[in-house]
Amino acid sequence: MAEFTFELNDDQKQVRDWLHGFAKDVIRPAASEWDEREETPWPIIQEAAKVGIYSLDFYAQQFFDPTGLGIPMTMEELFWGDAGIALSIVGTGLAAVGVLANGTEEQIGTWIPQMYGDPDDVKVAAFCSSEPDAGSDVAAMRTRAVYDEAKDEWVLNGTKTWATNGGIANVHVVVAVVDPELGSKGHASFIVPPNTPGLSQGQKFKKHGIRASHTAEVVLEDVRVPGSCLLGGKEKLDERLARAREKAKTQGERVKNAAMATFEASRPAVGAMAVGTARAAYEVALDYARTRVQFGRPIIDNQGVAFQLADMRTQIDAARLLVWRASWMATTGKPFTSAEGSMSKLYASEVAKKVTAQAVQILGGNGFTREYPVERMHRDSAIYTIFEGTSEVQRLVIARTLSGMPIR
């Protein structure tokens, strides 16, 4: 078991510096343009593919880092460059992880390469879970998957929302209800192959921030997929449903709690994204405060500005440490007895909103214009307290974990 450490090893430092260079030289110069265009930055994704960042191999290496720091380090550096472009680069990973976690070896080998394409013809994938009436409340999901035994096909109907790459993806991974009586335990995941009839893009959202990342509804109307597209296979699904029905008779709410607990392990990655954005805004504000002269001296000489910067740096470092602790715990199999995953996401996301707002304030009128990046960073930061569970949901999870009450 890897010991917890605050020091990156030489290999991790090399990867961090490589990612930082890409974020500095490729992502950041393009950030304003793609934010204004509100379009998927295909040329930047292609550049990431050419150097090996946009690939399953790279993310697998970081995911299996025994210290647990590979993924948060990656997220922080890419989102330091720009949140919208970074999300376009890492968004496919959500779908890939869904297949890796639930799929067979054959499904993994068949579908994940199609999610990424190749450097000359990059593709993206979409993970479709949220619905108009089922965001944090996953048990309220309505998209149904019905098995047609005669044809060995699954028929999917419903509407998904807030899907990163939804509708433009080569491969969609869709979570649907197969047994409504089991709540979130009655869900299963399905691959929807390219050009499958019945799948269409609904509304594309015009967002406050992360505008370079494509977010849209995905509409499923009698979408038929082969039985082989059920992740894990039908035999495994039937066994899991049978166990869930038996547990439901004796454990009640605890069946649902197990599903909620799975989200805990993924939340530190979102916290790392928030840390990257906060750090970027802090660095801009620090450089500005050192060079901006008012009343005959740099504004950092004013205690009101200096103390803000001191608080910003302290909060960013504290957020990173919470993220690293939770990531290490998840990788080494230590249970989140105090909802440490939610703690890291809650604190880091709130810090990102606060720090970016302070950066705008330190830059004054310049911070309010699009000539300086902190305005965009402040808009981008708003998403961190919303997706992957709102701050209110994180507080609820933490409070109920500490009190021993069921997580609903």
Side-chain angles (χ1 to χ4, degrees):
M1 179 182 297
E3 294 296 327
F4 184 59
T5 176
F6 298 123
E7 181 70 26
L8 299 177
N9 61 41
D10 290 342
D11 290 341
Q12 290 170 327
K13 289 178 181 177
Q14 185 175 5
V15 172
R16 179 200 60 192
D17 293 345
W18 173 55
L19 289 167
H20 186 79
F22 184 84
K24 178 183 176 182
D25 298 334
V26 181
I27 294 179
R28 185 164 282 191
S32 178
E33 174 189 351
W34 291 100
D35 177 73
E36 294 285 349
R37 292 175 64 167
E38 298 191 54
E39 298 174 357
T40 300
W42 292 107
I44 310 302
I45 298 174
Q46 187 172 37
E47 285 299 312
K50 287 180 178 179
V51 300
I53 293 174
Y54 186 72
S55 70
L56 174 63
D57 288 345
F58 172 71
Y59 288 105
Q61 289 173 11
Q62 303 316 307
F63 184 80
F64 290 111
D65 180 336
T67 69
L69 302 185
I71 290 296
M73 178 185 67
T74 297
M75 296 301 175
E76 180 177 339
E77 293 304 327
L78 293 178
F79 281 74
W80 173 91
D82 176 68
I85 292 177
L87 191 56
S88 290
I89 293 173
V90 306
T92 292
L94 297 173
V97 168
V99 176
L100 282 170
N102 302 300
T104 64
E105 290 187 8
E106 182 178 357
Q107 289 170 330
I108 292 170
T110 299
W111 296 112
I112 291 184
Q114 295 187 49
M115 292 180 175
Y116 287 92
D118 60 62
D120 295 321
D121 185 23
V122 293
K123 306 292 185 182
V124 295
F127 183 74
C128 307
S129 178
S130 293
E131 298 183 3
D133 295 319
S136 299
D137 184 8
V138 294
M141 191 176 293
R142 295 180 180 177
T143 297
R144 290 296 308 276
V146 178
Y147 185 57
D148 184 342
E149 189 171 0
K151 296 183 177 180
D152 186 26
E153 292 179 338
W154 288 89
V155 184
L156 279 61
N157 281 282
T159 299
K160 295 296 183 179
T161 193
W162 310 122
T164 299
N165 299 329
I168 67 170
N170 195 48
V171 177
H172 291 75
V173 177
V174 177
V175 182
V177 179
V178 294
D179 189 334
E181 295 183 358
L182 291 176
S184 58
K185 279 293 186 180
H187 297 173
S189 297
F190 299 85
I191 292 286
V192 180
N195 304 314
T196 298
L199 184 147
S200 62
Q201 178 183 308
Q203 175 187 7
K204 178 188 175 183
F205 296 103
K206 295 182 72 66
K207 304 188 298 295
H208 176 66
I210 56 169
R211 301 197 302 194
S213 174
H214 177 96
T215 310
E217 291 180 331
V218 174
V219 181
L220 304 145
E221 297 179 309
D222 292 329
V223 172
R224 286 183 168 268
V225 299
S228 59
C229 287
L230 166 64
L231 290 180
K234 193 167 187 304
E235 182 177 348
K236 183 178 179 181
L237 172 65
D238 290 341
E239 292 175 354
R240 179 166 63 81
L241 294 178
R243 289 195 302 269
R245 293 187 190 104
E246 184 62 30
K247 288 182 180 180
K249 295 177 183 178
T250 58
Q251 296 183 3
E253 279 298 325
R254 282 179 288 175
V255 172
K256 192 186 298 182
N257 294 349
M260 292 296 291
T262 62
F263 289 108
E264 276 285 274
S266 64
R267 285 171 174 154
V270 179
M273 299 174 188
V275 170
T277 300
R279 186 182 117 214
Y282 158 76
E283 290 175 1
V284 172
L286 177 62
D287 289 343
Y288 187 88
R290 285 169 169 165
T291 57
R292 174 66 168 170
V293 175
Q294 290 287 280
F295 304 105
R297 60 180 182 177
I299 62 173
I300 198 170
D301 287 349
N302 296 311
Q303 197 174 77
V305 173
F307 280 12
Q308 283 193 76
L309 289 163
D311 287 344
M312 292 159 74
R313 175 59 186 267
T314 300
Q315 291 162 359
I316 290 167
D317 281 13
R320 182 184 297 109
L321 292 177
L322 283 172
V323 167
W324 281 18
R325 180 186 68 168
S327 300
W328 173 77
M329 290 176 69
T331 297
T332 56
K334 293 187 177 296
F336 289 153
T337 56
S338 300
E340 287 87 351
S342 285
M343 283 184 183
S344 68
K345 195 269 184 184
L346 169 65
Y347 188 75
S349 61
E350 295 288 346
V351 164
K353 286 186 68 175
K354 183 175 181 180
V355 165
T356 55
Q358 288 176 304
V360 171
Q361 188 69 23
I362 289 171
L363 269 67
N366 287 326
F368 198 67
T369 71
R370 295 188 183 181
E371 297 301 314
Y372 287 79
V374 292
E375 175 271 340
R376 183 183 68 252
M377 294 168 183
H378 184 43
R379 286 189 286 108
D380 290 342
S381 70
I383 192 60
Y384 300 127
T385 62
I386 297 172
F387 70 178
E388 196 74 15
T390 64
S391 288
E392 291 74 21
V393 166
Q394 307 307 324
R395 291 186 174 97
L396 179 64
V397 170
I398 295 166
R400 288 184 175 271
T401 300
L402 295 177
S403 68
M405 296 173 66
I407 302 173
R408 301 178 187 275

